[in-house]
Amino acid sequence: MAGRTLRVQGFPAELPPDRAADKLTIHFLRSRNGGGDIADIRVLPGSPPCALITFEAPEVAQRILKVKNHVLAIGKTRYPLEVTPHAAELSPDEVLRG
């Protein structure tokens, strides 16, 4: 999964997780946003909420990171999204095996 997962923040907290996942899926599937096929999407609760989106290919994640301004439009409201690489935390066992 390394290099294929991105962390996305900036979508409205009041959006139900399933609806947020749908909106983000549509946004990140679009080629004009640098998107492509999505393997998995998880909306994590929190303040602010975030989503982890795993793409089929690492090239898609890299393309999306190169797009400077991702804006999610919901109705007439536009939400600027913050898109960053997701670094999975390694357990001490994984670090020592290296």
Side-chain angles (χ1 to χ4, degrees), residues 6 10 19 32 42 63 94:
L6 300 179
R19 185 133 184 268
R32 71 175 178 182
R42 286 186 296 154
R63 265 197 326 260
E94 291 175 286

Side-chain angles (χ1 to χ4, degrees), residues 74-90:
I74 301 175
K76 294 185 179 179
T77 308
R78 297 167 61 81
Y79 299 92
L81 298 175
E82 179 186 339
V83 181
T84 56
H86 174 63
E89 291 183 22
L90 296 178

Side-chain angles (χ1 to χ4, degrees), residues 25 27-31 33-39 53-57 60-61 63-64:
T25 298
H27 178 83
F28 288 107
L29 277 173
R30 289 190 176 132
S31 57
N33 296 326
D37 291 336
I38 294 171
I53 303 174
T54 302
F55 294 90
E56 293 286 342
V60 175
R63 265 197 326 260
I64 286 172

